[in-house]
Amino acid sequence: MATITNVTEYQAIAKQKLPKMVYDYYASGAEDEWSLSENRNAFTRILFRPRILIDVSKIDMTTTVLGFKISMPIMIAPTAMQKMAHPEGEYATARAASAAGTIMTLSSWATSSVEEVASTGPGIRFFQLYVYKDRNVVAQLVRRAERAGFKAIALTVDTPRLGRREADIKNRFTLPPFLTLKNFEGLDLGKMDEANDSGLASYVAGQIDRSLSWKDVQWLQTITSLPILVKGVLTAEDARIAVQVGAAGIIVSNHGARQLDYVPATIRALEEVVKGAQGRVPVFLDGGVRRGTDVFKALALGASGIFIGRPVVFSLAAEGEAGVRNVLQMLRDEFELTMALSGCRNLGEITRAHIFTDWDASPSHPTAKL
């Protein structure tokens, strides 16, 4: 097999290896999938302004996230049901993240439990939370994550209902019979019924709380001491409110373009959210990151770090833990090279002036004077 030289190449391998229902679940977006392609395309509208003749013999990519030191600003986003991709599923992902010295976010809908993932060894892990109608289930799950040593809660706020994913409707997507949503196994919420459309959409309609509001973010802080990241913010208005209600951070996310179609690419929404947060909490990004250049662009626009989702499941399907390790290593190497060629020796040296975008027209911007 030809050497894999970039992150994107894993997708074609995953497509060959996986059952259609599974591949389509991971790969597809909502409705017309305009936002799905836009998440990638928007990065192509950001160009570099590299600075030359700077001593880049030593490059430091380390950073801290919520006080935890990590090797690079590249982390793993929560993606559901990873054992559909590979038998080791979330175990493999956890080990790969730990080996790379970065953070893994475990999905509520994982096919491995918080305790099982914790048992893989040391590592900094966050837990992604869906709020179920039964708040006792939520409280129990948060407690279990805390006890298992998870360090933060990433609260998904863009899913009062599941987005319309037409591939899942066509395939009548459901969790394969040999798998369960392990975190809910003992609560009789671990299985998904077959449905005439998407089994997951029916599951969400039945279990996930559509009444979720900002007061629940405050409620969550009364039941846990863990910092809460609000995942799914796309506007300055919501960034301001997130800060006001005590969020520890914001993840700019459109749920991998799987919820509302025709929302902007996350890299396009990022700057607005950063301005709304006013430097009071860190802002992260997920959606469409496939290259080290993408990571640099996100940091130049004010992100404190990025999360990758689909590259993890595709590389997991292709090569298991080794695939996920390779994705993290390739992104790391590319990001380091981008920093060197842009004249940045540490993350603090990456500035807005290192890029220009299609939407830069303001007279204050350095390129306007040229």
PDB file of all heavy atoms in Angstrom, residues 96-109:
ATOM      1  N   ALA A  96      -3.810   6.609  21.692  1.00  0.00           N
ATOM      2  CA  ALA A  96      -3.132   7.459  20.703  1.00  0.00           C
ATOM      3  C   ALA A  96      -3.008   8.899  21.205  1.00  0.00           C
ATOM      4  O   ALA A  96      -1.950   9.522  21.062  1.00  0.00           O
ATOM      5  CB  ALA A  96      -3.881   7.423  19.375  1.00  0.00           C
ATOM      6  N   ALA A  97      -4.075   9.408  21.811  1.00  0.00           N
ATOM      7  CA  ALA A  97      -4.052  10.780  22.342  1.00  0.00           C
ATOM      8  C   ALA A  97      -3.017  10.904  23.452  1.00  0.00           C
ATOM      9  O   ALA A  97      -2.236  11.862  23.497  1.00  0.00           O
ATOM     10  CB  ALA A  97      -5.434  11.165  22.868  1.00  0.00           C
ATOM     11  N   SER A  98      -3.015   9.912  24.345  1.00  0.00           N
ATOM     12  CA  SER A  98      -2.083   9.905  25.459  1.00  0.00           C
ATOM     13  C   SER A  98      -0.634   9.859  24.963  1.00  0.00           C
ATOM     14  O   SER A  98       0.226  10.611  25.436  1.00  0.00           O
ATOM     15  CB  SER A  98      -2.389   8.706  26.364  1.00  0.00           C
ATOM     16  OG  SER A  98      -1.522   8.697  27.464  1.00  0.00           O
ATOM     17  N   ALA A  99      -0.370   9.019  23.971  1.00  0.00           N
ATOM     18  CA  ALA A  99       0.982   8.900  23.405  1.00  0.00           C
ATOM     19  C   ALA A  99       1.433  10.209  22.768  1.00  0.00           C
ATOM     20  O   ALA A  99       2.612  10.560  22.802  1.00  0.00           O
ATOM     21  CB  ALA A  99       1.030   7.774  22.372  1.00  0.00           C
ATOM     22  N   ALA A 100       0.473  10.950  22.200  1.00  0.00           N
ATOM     23  CA  ALA A 100       0.798  12.219  21.537  1.00  0.00           C
ATOM     24  C   ALA A 100       0.871  13.382  22.535  1.00  0.00           C
ATOM     25  O   ALA A 100       1.222  14.500  22.162  1.00  0.00           O
ATOM     26  CB  ALA A 100      -0.243  12.530  20.459  1.00  0.00           C
ATOM     27  N   GLY A 101       0.514  13.114  23.786  1.00  0.00           N
ATOM     28  CA  GLY A 101       0.545  14.168  24.800  1.00  0.00           C
ATOM     29  C   GLY A 101      -0.545  15.197  24.624  1.00  0.00           C
ATOM     30  O   GLY A 101      -0.363  16.386  24.890  1.00  0.00           O
ATOM     31  N   THR A 102      -1.724  14.736  24.157  1.00  0.00           N
ATOM     32  CA  THR A 102      -2.815  15.681  23.965  1.00  0.00           C
ATOM     33  C   THR A 102      -4.116  15.158  24.571  1.00  0.00           C
ATOM     34  O   THR A 102      -4.153  14.077  25.162  1.00  0.00           O
ATOM     35  CB  THR A 102      -2.983  16.048  22.468  1.00  0.00           C
ATOM     36  OG1 THR A 102      -3.858  17.178  22.390  1.00  0.00           O
ATOM     37  CG2 THR A 102      -3.546  14.899  21.646  1.00  0.00           C
ATOM     38  N   ILE A 103      -5.175  15.940  24.421  1.00  0.00           N
ATOM     39  CA  ILE A 103      -6.444  15.672  25.081  1.00  0.00           C
ATOM     40  C   ILE A 103      -7.399  14.909  24.169  1.00  0.00           C
ATOM     41  O   ILE A 103      -7.528  15.227  22.993  1.00  0.00           O
ATOM     42  CB  ILE A 103      -7.096  17.007  25.525  1.00  0.00           C
ATOM     43  CG1 ILE A 103      -6.256  17.646  26.643  1.00  0.00           C
ATOM     44  CG2 ILE A 103      -8.550  16.804  25.985  1.00  0.00           C
ATOM     45  CD1 ILE A 103      -6.578  19.107  26.914  1.00  0.00           C
ATOM     46  N   MET A 104      -8.066  13.909  24.736  1.00  0.00           N
ATOM     47  CA  MET A 104      -9.145  13.223  24.033  1.00  0.00           C
ATOM     48  C   MET A 104     -10.463  13.631  24.681  1.00  0.00           C
ATOM     49  O   MET A 104     -10.562  13.686  25.904  1.00  0.00           O
ATOM     50  CB  MET A 104      -9.011  11.713  24.157  1.00  0.00           C
ATOM     51  CG  MET A 104     -10.222  10.958  23.608  1.00  0.00           C
ATOM     52  SD  MET A 104     -10.211   9.231  24.107  1.00  0.00           S
ATOM     53  CE  MET A 104     -11.677   8.637  23.254  1.00  0.00           C
ATOM     54  N   THR A 105     -11.472  13.905  23.853  1.00  0.00           N
ATOM     55  CA  THR A 105     -12.821  14.123  24.372  1.00  0.00           C
ATOM     56  C   THR A 105     -13.642  12.872  24.060  1.00  0.00           C
ATOM     57  O   THR A 105     -13.729  12.466  22.903  1.00  0.00           O
ATOM     58  CB  THR A 105     -13.485  15.345  23.712  1.00  0.00           C
ATOM     59  OG1 THR A 105     -12.551  16.420  23.682  1.00  0.00           O
ATOM     60  CG2 THR A 105     -14.725  15.762  24.494  1.00  0.00           C
ATOM     61  N   LEU A 106     -14.187  12.273  25.090  1.00  0.00           N
ATOM     62  CA  LEU A 106     -15.004  11.067  24.917  1.00  0.00           C
ATOM     63  C   LEU A 106     -16.461  11.451  24.724  1.00  0.00           C
ATOM     64  O   LEU A 106     -17.006  12.267  25.468  1.00  0.00           O
ATOM     65  CB  LEU A 106     -14.876  10.163  26.149  1.00  0.00           C
ATOM     66  CG  LEU A 106     -15.640   8.830  26.085  1.00  0.00           C
ATOM     67  CD1 LEU A 106     -14.996   7.874  25.083  1.00  0.00           C
ATOM     68  CD2 LEU A 106     -15.723   8.180  27.469  1.00  0.00           C
ATOM     69  N   SER A 107     -17.094  10.866  23.711  1.00  0.00           N
ATOM     70  CA  SER A 107     -18.502  11.128  23.442  1.00  0.00           C
ATOM     71  C   SER A 107     -19.403  10.453  24.480  1.00  0.00           C
ATOM     72  O   SER A 107     -19.114   9.352  24.940  1.00  0.00           O
ATOM     73  CB  SER A 107     -18.862  10.599  22.055  1.00  0.00           C
ATOM     74  OG  SER A 107     -20.264  10.626  21.846  1.00  0.00           O
ATOM     75  N   SER A 108     -20.509  11.115  24.809  1.00  0.00           N
ATOM     76  CA  SER A 108     -21.573  10.474  25.608  1.00  0.00           C
ATOM     77  C   SER A 108     -21.986   9.166  24.948  1.00  0.00           C
ATOM     78  O   SER A 108     -22.270   8.176  25.624  1.00  0.00           O
ATOM     79  CB  SER A 108     -22.826  11.376  25.648  1.00  0.00           C
ATOM     80  OG  SER A 108     -22.786  12.294  26.703  1.00  0.00           O
ATOM     81  N   TRP A 109     -22.050   9.186  23.612  1.00  0.00           N
ATOM     82  CA  TRP A 109     -22.514   8.029  22.849  1.00  0.00           C
ATOM     83  C   TRP A 109     -21.374   7.124  22.424  1.00  0.00           C
ATOM     84  O   TRP A 109     -21.384   6.537  21.339  1.00  0.00           O
ATOM     85  CB  TRP A 109     -23.321   8.478  21.616  1.00  0.00           C
ATOM     86  CG  TRP A 109     -24.580   9.185  21.973  1.00  0.00           C
ATOM     87  CD1 TRP A 109     -25.280   9.100  23.138  1.00  0.00           C
ATOM     88  CD2 TRP A 109     -25.307  10.100  21.145  1.00  0.00           C
ATOM     89  NE1 TRP A 109     -26.396   9.906  23.090  1.00  0.00           N
ATOM     90  CE2 TRP A 109     -26.442  10.522  21.882  1.00  0.00           C
ATOM     91  CE3 TRP A 109     -25.124  10.590  19.854  1.00  0.00           C
ATOM     92  CZ2 TRP A 109     -27.376  11.434  21.364  1.00  0.00           C
ATOM     93  CZ3 TRP A 109     -26.054  11.495  19.335  1.00  0.00           C
ATOM     94  CH2 TRP A 109     -27.159  11.901  20.097  1.00  0.00           C
TER      95      TRP A 109
END
